[in-house]
Amino acid sequence: MLNVHYISPSTFPSKAANSVHVIHQVFALSKLNLKIHLYGAKNIPKSNKEIKSRLEKEYGVNLDDTRLNLIPVLIKRGINLQIAIFSIVKLALLSFSSSNKIYSRNLYAAFFFNSILRRKIVFETHQIEQGINGVFQKHILSSKKAKVVLITKKLHIILEEYYSIKITNPFILSDAAPEGLNPFNNKQKENTLLRLGIRKNNFLYICGYFGHLYQGRGIEIIISMAKRSPKVLYLIFGGNDEDIARLTHQTNDKNIQLMGHVDNVLAREVMMSIDCLLMPYQKKVSIGQKGHDTARWMSPMKMFEYMASSNPIISSNLPALREVLKDGENAILVECDNVDQWIDALNSLINNKDLANRIALNAYKEYTEKYNWLYRAKKIHQIMEDNF
């Protein structure tokens, strides 16, 4: 059996997107008769067994075939480095035969194993690094002993331009959604909304937003839409207490409900239970870290979970998103900051059910064929095995 040593940048449990990504990816990899060893950090004083049980419940996964190797967070600064050192101590003396593979989303661990120990690795990156981290990233991207997984073609282009290099072994794999999600019938939709105390009542339509409330996520667009369409209910899921308090002061519209954070499984069920999903990313998008703007190359997991919902999507018309979304085919794309276009798109879905059904079904079909974690896992498995 192939042993995959997956070194993450993640803390578990966590609301962070990288943690969600990692857990779903290792679960999908474990379905391919691979033994997964996951390295990360834990931020609660629980045993790995207890944390595994919590992750399984929150994300709807089975981690029986995944061994957790989690280091307690000693200080909040430098968690990635702490995880890297921990994994290096665990793995440095391991005999890396064809039965052991390193898959790293952790920059420091990838640099150590690839550039210092000169071992073959697969390195996945979702961003451009700065400072000394940029030196490490450039070295790995240029290495003949590293295969590099990137989330968009745009990120591939930007990285090569930024570092003035040719990435030696690039592979483009979009983010994904859990496989096997099936559309809800009307009764399932109604029951899901009732669990959260949501009633359609006099509203004609329900729109939903799911995700963080950082700068550039477009929440101000939704607030403007709500003021102009009082018969539409807008549900906003996500955000921390500070974000929610800030938005509560910005709007008192009766057709906006700030739902806060819900676990991954419930969020997907709600996505399948409402009429339309909004993705109003702006031209600059924060990931919650100072200086990080991902709008030019992002591949948000939310987009694929939306596609899996079998409900129509209205999205900002940004270049990176157009690698997946096609206007009038699997979504409606509009100028990110043009509220008139957002309202027009919404009205077109409300008034044209054939259009809404067509783009929703097209998106769902693409999700089932290539935008799910199992499809992505099979591609990763192939990358690890081919001449490597």
Side-chain angles (χ1 to χ4, degrees):
M1 180 181 288
L2 188 66
N3 287 276
V4 178
H5 299 273
Y6 192 118
I7 308 173
S8 80
S10 308
T11 301
F12 306 104
S14 171
K15 299 176 185 177
N18 65 55
S19 300
V20 178
H21 173 112
V22 168
I23 291 300
H24 282 295
Q25 189 63 85
V26 298
F27 174 45
L29 286 166
S30 72
K31 293 181 178 181
L32 303 179
N33 196 32
L34 304 172
K35 184 63 179 178
I36 310 299
H37 306 261
L38 174 61
Y39 301 82
K42 58 181 177 181
N43 56 6
I44 56 176
K46 300 287 186 180
S47 69
N48 287 351
K49 182 178 180 181
E50 290 173 302
I51 292 175
K52 180 181 286 190
S53 177
R54 178 168 167 176
L55 293 173
E56 289 178 333
K57 181 180 179 181
E58 289 188 5
Y59 298 134
V61 298
N62 184 320
L63 299 176
D64 285 349
D65 293 322
T66 300
R67 179 177 178 180
L68 298 188
N69 299 278
L70 305 180
I71 184 174
V73 175
L74 302 176
I75 55 174
K76 290 189 176 181
R77 286 180 61 86
I79 291 176
N80 276 1
L81 183 57
Q82 293 176 53
I83 296 170
I85 293 171
F86 174 65
S87 66
I88 288 165
V89 171
K90 286 270 191 178
L91 294 173
L93 299 179
L94 185 68
S95 172
F96 277 84
S97 62
S98 59
S99 64
N100 283 294
K101 306 290 186 181
I102 287 184
Y103 192 99
S104 184
R105 275 199 62 185
N106 185 299
L107 175 69
Y108 303 117
F111 180 77
F112 180 83
F113 286 110
N114 176 249
S115 302
I116 297 178
L117 293 189
R118 305 297 297 159
R119 287 181 176 165
K120 294 179 179 180
I121 67 164
V122 180
F123 173 57
E124 179 169 343
T125 185
H126 294 196
Q127 63 189 49
I128 300 171
E129 301 288 353
Q130 306 292 329
I132 188 63
N133 288 0
V135 175
F136 294 164
Q137 186 180 46
K138 179 179 179 180
H139 200 281
I140 299 166
L141 298 179
S142 304
S143 171
K144 293 181 179 179
K145 289 183 175 290
K147 292 188 176 182
V148 179
V149 173
L150 305 168
I151 50 173
T152 58
K153 297 174 184 175
K154 191 65 177 176
L155 179 57
H156 180 200
I157 293 168
I158 290 171
L159 282 169
E160 290 193 332
E161 291 177 348
Y162 182 78
Y163 290 121
S164 299
I165 61 169
K166 189 76 173 175
I167 298 176
T168 306
N169 296 301
F171 298 86
I172 311 301
L173 294 180
S174 301
D175 263 327
E179 63 279 359
L181 299 178
N182 296 310
F184 274 7
N185 59 37
N186 289 335
K187 189 64 176 177
Q188 288 173 305
K189 293 179 179 182
E190 182 182 351
N191 288 341
T192 299
L193 295 178
L194 285 176
R195 284 165 58 192
L196 292 171
I198 300 168
R199 296 181 182 274
K200 204 164 189 178
N201 294 332
N202 296 323
F203 294 110
L204 297 175
Y205 211 66
I206 301 179
C207 291
Y209 168 87
F210 296 76
H212 291 292
L213 307 181
Y214 302 138
Q215 184 177 358
R217 299 298 174 115
I219 305 304
E220 64 280 1
I221 293 292
I222 296 175
I223 292 173
S224 296
M225 291 176 71
K227 292 183 183 300
R228 295 176 54 174
S229 51
K231 291 295 185 179
V232 175
L233 175 61
Y234 294 85
L235 304 176
I236 298 177
F237 289 84
N240 56 35
D241 292 342
E242 182 181 337
D243 293 326
I244 293 170
R246 171 176 52 82
L247 287 176
T248 300
H249 288 297
Q250 288 182 14
T251 176
N252 58 2
D253 295 289
K254 302 299 183 183
N255 60 332
I256 290 185
Q257 293 185 23
L258 301 172
M259 306 300 296
H261 175 77
V262 297
D263 67 48
N264 201 247
V265 174
L266 180 55
R268 291 197 300 271
E269 291 176 356
V270 178
M271 289 177 194
M272 291 189 279
S273 302
I274 58 182
D275 299 309
C276 174
L277 295 155
L278 305 176
M279 208 161 65
Y281 287 111
Q282 298 300 289
K283 293 175 182 176
K284 289 189 176 182
V285 177
S286 169
I287 59 171
Q289 299 176 31
K290 188 176 181 180
H292 285 272
D293 167 27
T294 64
R296 291 184 296 154
W297 63 77
M298 63 184 173
S299 176
M301 285 183 292
K302 173 171 61 184
M303 173 167 63
F304 304 103
E305 291 175 341
Y306 280 11
M307 294 173 74
S309 75
S310 73
N311 288 317
I313 302 166
I314 306 175
S315 172
S316 296
N317 187 6
L318 299 177
L321 301 180
R322 288 200 301 269
E323 291 186 23
V324 174
L325 300 181
K326 303 292 185 289
D327 184 37
E329 295 181 19
N330 58 8
I332 296 181
L333 303 182
V334 297
E335 291 181 18
C336 63
D337 54 358
N338 189 325
V339 179
D340 288 339
Q341 288 193 11
W342 284 91
I343 291 293
D344 288 345
L346 176 59
N347 287 334
S348 70
L349 293 177
I350 294 173
N351 297 322
N352 188 339
K353 290 186 178 180
D354 288 341
L355 171 65
N357 290 335
R358 177 168 55 81
I359 65 173
L361 291 176
N362 286 343
Y364 180 78
K365 182 174 184 291
E366 291 181 5
Y367 145 74
T368 61
E369 292 175 348
K370 58 183 178 180
Y371 294 127
N372 60 76
W373 292 114
L374 185 58
Y375 174 89
R376 198 176 195 271
K378 290 176 181 177
K379 291 294 185 181
I380 289 172
H381 189 195
Q382 183 178 343
I383 290 168
M384 288 189 294
E385 294 233 303
D386 287 351
N387 300 316
F388 202 58

